[in-house]
Amino acid sequence: MFSFAGIATAVLDGHGTVLRWSQAACDLLGWTAEDACGRPFRALFAEARPGADDQVLPARGRARLRHRAGRPVDVTFRVLDLHPADQSVVLVAPTRPADDWEQGASTLRALLAQENLGIALHDPDLTLVRSNLTPGPQSGAALPPGSRLRDVLSPQDVEAGEAALRRVLRTGAPLTGRSLSLRSAHGGPPRRVSLWAFRVEDAAGVPEGVLALYVDTLTQQRAGRELDLLQRAAVRIGGSLDPRRAAQDLADVLVPALGDLSAVSLAEAVLHGDEPPRIRGGGDLHLRRAAVASAAGPYPDVLLQPGQALPSLLATAELRELQHGRAAVFDPATVATLFDDPAQLRHFVPDGGHSALWAPLFARGLVLGTVAVWRTEQPDAFDEQDVDMLTEIASRSALNVDNARRYLRERRSVLALQQRLLPRPTTDSPAVETAGLYRPAGGGSGISGDWYDVIPLPSFRVALAVGDVSGHGLYATATMGRLRTAVRTLADLELDPTELLTHLDDGVRQLAGESDAQSHVDSTCLYAVYDPITCLCQLASAGHPSPVVVRPDGTVKVVDVSPGPPLGVGGMPFETATVDLEPGSVLALYSKGLIERDAADVEGGLRWLTESLAASCGSDRSLADVGRALLAGLGDGRQYDDIALLLARTRALPEESTASWEFTATPAVVSAAREAVARQLTDWGLDELVFTTELIVSELVTNAVRHAGGPIGLRLIRGDVLVCEVTDPSSTQPRLRRARWTDEGGRGLFLVAQLSLRWGSRYGRAGKTIWSEQALAPPAVDFEALM
């Protein structure tokens, strides 16, 4: 406040002589009126002003006057002319207080000029002295002096506001950040402000009033809401690799923080993992509603729902702006210009919707989708600050949607590759009925290299294999495909399980040597061969969990297989276990993910597996249903490893479907073998096969007599094909060759190959077995062409 107590005055005549002298001047300079009157005012200057007229003082300025005690006094003065007399008044004040008064006045003028900061200067009675407050946002003129707090504050805050200001006036303690509401002159909603108040004192410290500052908190609240929205968006967005889930996260973040309704649409190609088309202008944008959210209650049914396609849009300036990556504010009238059919408008403008934001999900120059936000209950229309906010959030979401799209594409490719590398889910043969199932880890996010296979072998035997390749992704899947191919190749050689795993281990070590250390993947494998004639199953394990057998009587047992080291380790032997499987037994081969759920103990998982198999493996239930029930029993908990499961229900060939003989190694046994085969085929009613089978037996037995010696075994097996086996003690590999027309021999295996569906040989502990297969309804054979 300006204090007049410190102002010294003097009246001068036209010659600059002091005529009158105030008491304040006496207090300031020590000269009494008797001393000063009659003297030139210039005589009071402590320093002479060169060239200055002693009779004329400038209109205003600063000077150093001389105190009666001899010390200098710095002052600021101003000269005012008096009319009509030829006299003037000099106002003199100490320079320091004058500067303070001037700076205070400048500060007050600056504060009163602020639009977002309300200033009110109250006297001790809390009457308004000066203010820039207006009764409403658009009322123009400030409140006049003499106004009271009831003209400023909302009625419910008047009493509390007056009490707070009186407390400041009484105690001198400032008031900081009290929340109040300013009234509106037009009946609109009150403005929420934060009240700050300070006591105003004169130079002597006497209270002269209260200075109140009304800080509009709307800007602060909006900044806080925007910061909170950005923080929640950063946490929520990016947490999913599913485009639809990512779209729903975006829709949920935007309400009610930014609007009352939100909707996200994605390009149809994005939903399938592909890049969206580059579309400019109107027409069919190939967009489909992916997610919606409502701040209050369910999303309106009349609006476009998730899964529905957006109709064709007209080419407008707003649409082109959107397709170039820029967001915009819309109102219902602008939205109406997008549709050729006015009836479409009701599917896009909600009841009460007065303002909307529409932004693209723009990434890498592509519009992956759009996001729209409507305000129905919130009264304020969207502004450019809201546009910037949605643009920022949409750009982050677009990157997340694009990452999810890329992941979906890669996952689809890897899953398609793995499905093509796996065999058919179910098989049916004279030896076994099988059902295989695969379940990726993490609900489909962790496609890995677990696999299974069912390999038909000669003589109605079947090989069952299951493997586990550690790691995830394309490399694990490719490794799985190489292992499965290697197992099939080795199985065609009809090796026993121990020998097959030994060769497979060597192959894996060679592959590891060809690859860098980072691409090395550990793997395990279980290989089993089942013979439906003997009902024996031979198994060997390379670091893989033991299989489980469910007997026809319902008893369950874990097969005792001594596991060797995982593939690629080397230096350790594999062991073969043999188990007798009566017809109707179910053999379950699986990867460790089935029993190591949520990293729980293996024993508990194995106990759960045996109990589940005992409860579900009924003879009248398909193996596919049993497998699905097992996987469903895992629940919806987090699955850290993928699962491969192969179930095989064993069968046995009837004893009357086989016939065997043993002969000595003499030329006469050839005719005996032919006669035995002919009688047996006649008994089976396969007379059409007698001639071709006699030829095959004659050639194979003759070769055994000539090159191998005895004893010679002969066996016929009748199933869906006719199998003929000749066993001899030699380990020499038979070789098919084309004889020249002058050769007397060498056509035996050639004839066997031409008369059979397929043929081959396998080795045992005491020799080899050559086998051939014929269809039960043999095709016509041109024997002249074979000669």
Side-chain angles (χ1 to χ4, degrees):
M1 297 287 291
F2 184 83
S3 176
F4 292 94
I7 303 297
T9 58
V11 179
L12 308 182
D13 62 12
H15 301 286
T17 302
V18 177
L19 299 180
R20 290 178 176 81
W21 190 255
S22 69
Q23 181 59 42
C26 180
D27 295 337
L28 178 64
L29 298 175
W31 301 97
T32 64
E34 291 78 5
D35 297 333
C37 291
R39 299 179 62 185
F41 188 80
R42 285 279 189 182
L44 299 177
F45 281 72
E47 299 175 354
R49 301 172 62 90
D53 189 347
D54 291 340
Q55 297 181 0
V56 179
L57 287 175
R60 66 179 62 201
R62 295 187 179 188
R64 175 168 290 181
L65 302 183
R66 178 169 47 84
H67 194 273
R68 185 172 185 175
R71 67 177 184 272
V73 179
D74 292 327
V75 298
T76 298
F77 66 88
R78 185 170 182 180
V79 179
L80 304 176
D81 292 334
L82 297 178
H83 296 285
D86 187 18
Q87 295 179 356
S88 60
V89 176
V90 181
L91 304 178
V92 182
T95 297
R96 178 65 179 273
D99 288 346
D100 292 344
W101 297 334
E102 186 175 351
Q103 293 172 1
S106 300
T107 302
L108 182 59
R109 284 194 300 271
L111 290 175
L112 291 172
Q114 300 301 311
E115 295 182 356
N116 296 325
L117 179 64
I119 303 294
L121 183 61
H122 300 270
D123 64 12
D125 193 33
L126 299 185
T127 301
L128 192 67
V129 176
R130 190 173 182 183
S131 174
N132 67 347
L133 292 173
T134 59
Q138 308 296 332
S139 59
L143 290 171
S147 301
R148 304 290 298 181
L149 278 180
R150 63 176 174 270
D151 301 318
V152 178
L153 299 178
S154 297
Q156 66 272 19
D157 289 337
V158 171
E159 184 177 349
E162 288 185 349
L165 294 184
R166 292 189 186 281
R167 186 162 52 252
V168 172
L169 189 62
R170 183 178 67 254
T171 64
L175 176 66
T176 58
R178 175 156 191 157
S179 180
L180 296 171
S181 296
L182 295 182
R183 66 184 303 161
S184 173
H186 304 288
R191 290 181 293 166
R192 203 69 184 169
V193 296
S194 177
L195 175 61
W196 300 66
F198 311 92
R199 188 169 72 179
V200 179
E201 301 174 349
D202 62 10
V206 177
E208 292 189 342
V210 178
L211 179 65
L213 306 179
Y214 297 90
V215 181
D216 188 356
T217 60
L218 180 61
T219 302
Q220 297 178 351
Q221 292 173 355
R222 178 169 182 173
R225 289 195 302 268
E226 291 178 351
L227 182 61
D228 180 66
L229 176 57
L230 284 175
Q231 182 179 7
R232 286 191 290 111
V235 173
R236 187 76 176 269
I237 295 173
S240 174
L241 289 175
D242 177 21
R244 288 183 175 84
R245 182 68 257 176
Q248 189 62 57
D249 290 340
L250 173 59
D252 292 339
V253 162
L254 296 176
V255 295
L258 195 59
D260 301 302
L261 297 171
S262 65
V264 180
S265 301
L266 296 179
E268 294 179 352
V270 171
L271 295 173
H272 296 91
D274 299 322
E275 284 196 352
R278 296 178 181 270
I279 298 177
R280 294 292 183 266
D284 187 358
L285 304 185
H286 302 284
L287 293 174
R288 192 169 293 274
R289 185 60 47 87
V292 296
S294 173
Y299 194 76
D301 294 336
V302 68
L303 300 180
L304 201 68
Q305 298 298 310
Q308 295 180 335
L310 271 69
S312 296
L313 302 180
L314 298 176
T316 64
E318 292 81 7
L319 180 60
R320 285 190 292 270
E321 288 289 308
L322 184 84
Q323 292 171 338
H324 284 85
R326 291 181 283 272
V329 177
F330 282 71
D331 55 25
T334 308
V335 176
T337 63
L338 295 171
F339 301 102
D340 186 26
D341 183 5
Q344 294 286 354
L345 191 63
R346 66 188 188 95
H347 298 305
F348 291 89
V349 179
D351 291 339
H354 60 88
S355 183
L357 280 179
W358 196 18
L361 298 177
F362 199 72
R364 299 185 299 106
L366 298 172
V367 178
L368 306 177
T370 63
V371 55
V373 185
W374 277 96
R375 283 182 175 173
T376 57
E377 302 297 330
Q378 301 181 34
D380 297 333
F382 289 112
D383 54 24
E384 288 302 318
Q385 192 170 347
D386 296 318
V387 171
D388 294 339
M389 173 63 59
L390 184 59
T391 300
E392 173 70 18
I393 296 176
S395 64
R396 298 184 184 183
S397 299
L399 293 177
N400 180 43
V401 169
D402 194 44
N403 289 336
R405 178 196 66 81
R406 290 170 176 245
Y407 168 78
L408 184 62
R409 181 188 61 190
E410 296 302 323
R411 177 181 177 274
R412 184 182 62 188
S413 300
V414 174
L415 187 58
L417 173 62
Q418 186 175 54
Q419 289 175 343
R420 289 184 176 273
L421 292 176
L422 291 175
R424 292 180 300 170
T426 59
T427 65
D428 196 349
S429 68
V432 291
E433 167 201 358
T434 67
L437 298 95
Y438 174 77
R439 179 170 171 176
S445 62
I447 298 175
S448 184
D450 287 16
W451 58 279
Y452 62 87
D453 204 353
V454 180
I455 307 170
L457 298 178
S459 305
F460 301 104
R461 296 173 304 139
V462 65
L464 307 172
V466 64
D468 187 345
V469 177
S470 63
H472 300 282
L474 186 60
Y475 184 81
T477 302
T479 303
M480 176 269 287
R482 300 177 77 175
L483 286 179
R484 179 170 174 256
T485 301
V487 170
R488 276 193 164 260
T489 302
L490 295 172
D492 284 342
L493 299 178
E494 300 189 65
L495 304 175
D496 63 45
T498 297
E499 190 173 0
L500 182 140
L501 290 183
T502 301
H503 285 287
L504 186 63
D505 179 69
D506 291 338
V508 170
R509 282 189 289 162
Q510 291 178 9
L511 292 177
E514 297 172 358
S515 305
D516 57 83
Q518 293 182 351
S519 63
H520 176 69
V521 178
D522 296 328
S523 56
T524 63
C525 180
L526 178 72
Y527 183 77
V529 176
Y530 174 68
D531 189 340
I533 298 175
T534 63
C535 294
L536 294 179
C537 182
Q538 293 182 312
L539 311 95
S541 170
H544 204 82
S546 299
V548 176
V549 173
V550 183
R551 304 287 184 182
D553 59 3
T555 59
V556 184
K557 179 183 179 182
V558 178
V559 179
D560 185 13
V561 180
S562 179
L567 296 174
V569 174
M572 296 291 290
F574 300 102
E575 297 183 15
T576 297
T578 302
V579 59
D580 187 4
L581 299 179
E582 55 263 52
S585 299
V586 174
L587 182 65
L589 293 78
Y590 53 90
S591 59
K592 67 179 184 299
L594 185 63
I595 59 175
E596 293 183 357
R597 297 176 299 159
D598 298 328
D601 64 296
V602 177
E603 292 184 0
L606 191 57
R607 185 168 51 254
W608 166 84
L609 176 59
T610 56
E611 294 173 354
S612 300
L613 285 172
S616 58
C617 282
S619 60
D620 58 343
R621 192 173 189 182
S622 71
L623 292 180
D625 290 341
V626 173
R628 285 190 289 266
L630 279 177
L631 297 184
L634 296 174
D636 298 327
R638 177 68 176 173
Q639 179 186 327
Y640 293 93
D641 197 2
D642 54 345
I643 296 171
L645 174 63
L646 178 61
L647 300 175
R649 180 174 282 129
T650 62
R651 293 168 175 165
L653 290 179
E655 292 184 6
E656 60 271 16
S657 295
T658 63
S660 59
W661 302 270
E662 187 173 294
F663 303 100
T664 59
T666 61
V669 303
V670 176
S671 60
R674 294 177 62 168
E675 292 175 1
V677 167
R679 288 194 302 269
Q680 186 62 55
L681 292 180
T682 301
D683 292 342
W684 283 344
L686 300 176
D687 299 284
E688 295 179 353
L689 293 177
V690 171
F691 182 70
T692 56
T693 306
E694 284 183 330
L695 285 177
I696 292 173
V697 169
S698 177
E699 295 298 334
L700 295 181
V701 173
T702 299
N703 285 342
V705 171
R706 288 180 178 179
H707 305 293
I712 299 172
L714 173 62
R715 184 169 69 165
L716 293 180
I717 309 172
R718 182 188 61 179
D720 53 357
V721 294
L722 178 65
V723 178
C724 177
E725 297 179 343
V726 174
T727 304
D728 61 57
S730 173
S731 298
T732 304
Q733 172 69 34
R735 182 167 57 91
L736 179 66
R737 66 185 180 90
R738 182 179 293 275
R740 291 172 297 183
W741 67 275
T742 57
D743 292 341
E744 295 183 359
R747 297 177 178 85
L749 289 181
F750 180 76
L751 287 173
V752 171
Q754 297 302 312
L755 297 175
S756 305
L757 295 176
R758 59 175 184 157
W759 73 279
S761 63
R762 62 177 177 270
Y763 294 91
R765 297 183 180 274
K768 67 177 180 298
T769 298
I770 303 177
W771 54 268
S772 72
E773 291 182 0
Q774 299 177 79
L776 296 183
V781 178
D782 186 358
F783 290 99
E784 294 183 358
L786 300 178
M787 302 306 293

